[in-house]
Amino acid sequence: MGFLDIQRATKSYGSVKVLHETDISIEEGEFLVLVGPSGCGKSTLLNMIAGLEEVTSGDIRIKGRSMNGVRPAERNIAMVFQSYALYPNMNVAQNISFGMEMHGVPRPERERKVAQVAELLQIGRLLDRKPGQLSGGQRQRVAMGRALVRDPDVFLFDEPLSNLDAKLRVDMRTEIKKLHQKLKTTIVYVTHDQIEALTLSTRIAVMFGGHVQQLGTPKEIYDTPANMFVAGFMGSPSMNLFAARVAAQDGRAIAVTRRADGSEVALPFPEGGALAAQVGREIVLGLRPEAITDRDGADRHSRAVHVVESPVDITEPAGSDTFVVTHLGGKEVTGRFRADVDVSPGQVFPFAINMEKAVAFDPKTEMRIA
Amino acid sequence: MVNGDFFDAQRMHDPCTTHMHRKTLRIESLTPAGAAARGFGQGDG
């Protein structure tokens, strides 16, 4: 039994099932991120944990206690929303202490806790201001302060950074990570931003179509995606997925694919791979952009770097890296090159492909097979 | 429903934000007496 257990939980609105049977168990102090595109069921699941949505079937347990039928206020949870939802008629100190007041916490205790949280979040000088006098980042800090001050069992964050500009979002992401490391609180965090998911979480549940597609650590999700949806959704630029066929060469498995002009390319898998016995099988080969580099940028520790010459379609300088696009298996394939590599569109360039990082999917089921 | 002075003070008509306020109030355990004392009308409904 975990600290927070979601057991076979489902949610339907009439005949429409928006969350299929879901099982997730997290330990105290974990940072679980629910990530997926709009409409995947992630916010519904968060609202079910909060008690803002009823569970249609199954159970949600916090510290072993079933939450079915328990009001949101009695679950000892706190929630931070994308739109902050600060009370505009109260100043910052009143906003932070309001929940404690409603729970009958005596005034001296409230004042002590507000001061403590204000120091933690560096909002001490804002305590007398109304929300309308605060910037977006300051409002989000106050919203977090309001959650922190109640010492809840579980913090729930519903896309808390989506309203902030790009730079502030990165800053606040770091702040949230620091807070979690310092306070060791249990957090369930909803986002559609896969970078937020990878950087913040101890575990990620990738959701799509009301199903949890994969539950795992950020490294598991990134390196060994369970299916093509997870492979394509997590990572930026996303994993390259292109058609290939398994063949044998010198006693080991290779992936055979084609350049844009139709000529064949052979990419040997590392020895002893799972595909050695599946010669002739059609696959979708998955390679992250960082597994496709210029020759000097290739992983020197890998024993499966294979160089393929292919025409460059587009180059996209991105400051620290240059993304270089070519065609393999009928798809655009993006490599991550060092920024100072001299490469231009139209040039036939050697791409160094690290097959130690390759994964393979079944084209029909879209599930990972190697 | 949350109503009365709260929305007057809010002076905005953003259904999304209002919806989030309602959710927050449910989590923060607003009782009718507490609501009235703080200018929230009839509580969280």
Side-chain angles (χ1 to χ4, degrees):
Chain A
M1 190 183 67
F3 189 78
L4 168 66
D5 288 312
I6 299 161
Q7 300 173 335
R8 305 176 74 178
T10 70
K11 179 69 186 176
S12 300
Y13 296 105
S15 60
V16 181
K17 205 164 201 174
V18 293
L19 185 73
H20 297 267
E21 209 166 275
T22 297
D23 286 283
I24 298 173
S25 179
I26 65 170
E27 299 302 324
E28 187 169 11
E30 272 206 72
F31 196 132
L32 173 73
V33 173
L34 307 175
V35 67
S38 298
C40 70
K42 57 190 189 298
S43 289
T44 301
L45 181 55
L46 195 77
N47 284 331
M48 286 159 67
I49 297 169
L52 299 167
E53 297 272 8
E54 297 272 329
V55 175
T56 303
S57 67
D59 198 4
I60 290 174
R61 291 173 169 268
I62 297 175
K63 293 165 91 173
R65 179 181 165 223
S66 172
M67 290 292 129
N68 283 353
V70 178
R71 292 174 56 223
E74 289 160 358
R75 296 187 177 208
N76 199 22
I77 48 108
M79 196 156 172
V80 178
F81 296 98
Q82 177 181 347
S83 58
Y84 324 123
L86 299 177
Y87 307 123
N89 52 335
M90 298 180 193
N91 67 26
V92 168
Q94 289 165 335
N95 261 285
I96 294 174
S97 66
F98 181 72
M100 290 189 289
E101 192 181 337
M102 289 297 113
H103 279 81
V105 177
R107 181 187 288 268
E109 173 74 0
R110 296 202 305 260
E111 287 175 351
R112 189 182 65 76
K113 284 195 148 184
V114 169
Q116 200 177 27
V117 163
E119 190 187 334
L120 183 70
L121 295 170
Q122 297 163 18
I123 50 173
R125 68 199 163 80
L126 308 175
L127 289 174
D128 293 328
R129 292 197 201 168
K130 293 274 178 69
Q133 298 168 298
L134 304 176
S135 68
Q138 288 170 333
R139 287 181 205 190
Q140 194 53 276
R141 279 171 193 270
V142 176
M144 287 204 290
R146 183 168 65 178
L148 283 170
V149 82
R150 293 183 46 216
D151 292 330
D153 288 330
V154 183
F155 284 93
L156 306 174
F157 286 81
D158 192 0
E159 308 226 13
L161 306 184
S162 299
N163 276 8
L164 305 177
D165 66 51
K167 186 180 181 313
L168 195 54
R169 198 154 61 222
V170 173
D171 293 346
M172 287 302 289
R173 196 171 74 199
T174 309
E175 291 285 315
I176 291 174
K177 180 124 187 168
K178 276 189 201 162
L179 270 176
H180 178 250
Q181 284 177 355
K182 190 169 178 178
L183 304 174
K184 310 242 183 304
T185 45
T186 308
I187 295 176
V188 182
Y189 185 108
V190 161
T191 182
H192 62 267
D193 181 335
Q194 40 86 25
I195 301 290
E196 264 175 46
L198 290 166
T199 52
L200 285 171
S201 67
T202 55
R203 274 197 300 163
I204 300 172
V206 183
M207 299 183 68
F208 180 61
H211 291 275
V212 174
Q213 302 286 327
Q214 187 173 6
L215 174 66
T217 64
K219 186 168 171 51
E220 286 166 352
I221 298 275
Y222 192 77
D223 288 346
T224 52
N227 56 40
M228 284 169 59
F229 173 78
V230 177
F233 189 76
M234 300 300 286
S236 179
S238 59
M239 181 180 270
N240 296 295
L241 298 166
F242 54 94
R245 176 173 43 82
V246 181
Q249 190 178 67
D250 304 330
R252 74 201 264 196
I254 60 169
V256 179
T257 187
R258 290 182 187 278
R259 296 183 184 86
D261 64 5
S263 59
E264 282 197 345
V265 175
L267 299 168
F269 285 105
E271 281 183 62
L275 292 171
Q278 303 192 42
V279 170
R281 183 171 185 174
E282 299 292 331
I283 59 169
V284 173
L285 194 63
L287 283 162
R288 293 279 178 202
E290 58 271 25
I292 304 172
T293 60
D294 56 288
R295 206 190 294 248
D296 289 340
D299 182 355
R300 292 175 200 285
H301 301 292
S302 171
R303 286 175 298 171
V305 174
H306 187 77
V307 177
V308 170
E309 298 221 329
S310 187
V312 172
D313 291 343
I314 304 165
T315 62
E316 295 175 335
S320 57
D321 308 289
T322 297
F323 295 108
V324 180
V325 180
T326 185
H327 257 81
L328 286 175
K331 291 281 173 67
E332 280 192 348
V333 168
T334 303
R336 188 192 291 265
F337 284 27
R338 290 169 302 132
D340 55 359
V341 174
D342 188 15
V343 57
S344 46
Q347 187 182 355
V348 175
F349 199 85
F351 289 76
I353 299 180
N354 183 2
M355 289 297 285
E356 268 187 4
K357 297 289 185 186
V359 289
F361 301 92
D362 184 296
K364 287 199 177 70
T365 66
E366 301 195 350
M367 301 302 286
R368 184 169 54 80
I369 51 175
Chain B
M1 290 292 289
V2 177
N3 54 24
D5 296 345
F6 175 57
F7 289 136
D8 292 343
Q10 194 175 4
R11 284 202 191 92
M12 54 187 179
H13 304 281
D14 175 356
C16 177
T17 307
T18 308
H19 186 56
M20 296 305 160
H21 280 115
R22 284 204 188 96
K23 288 184 172 182
T24 308
L25 288 166
R26 284 177 69 188
I27 290 167
E28 295 208 320
S29 184
L30 200 66
T31 60
R38 303 307 302 256
F40 277 100
Q42 294 302 307
D44 66 328

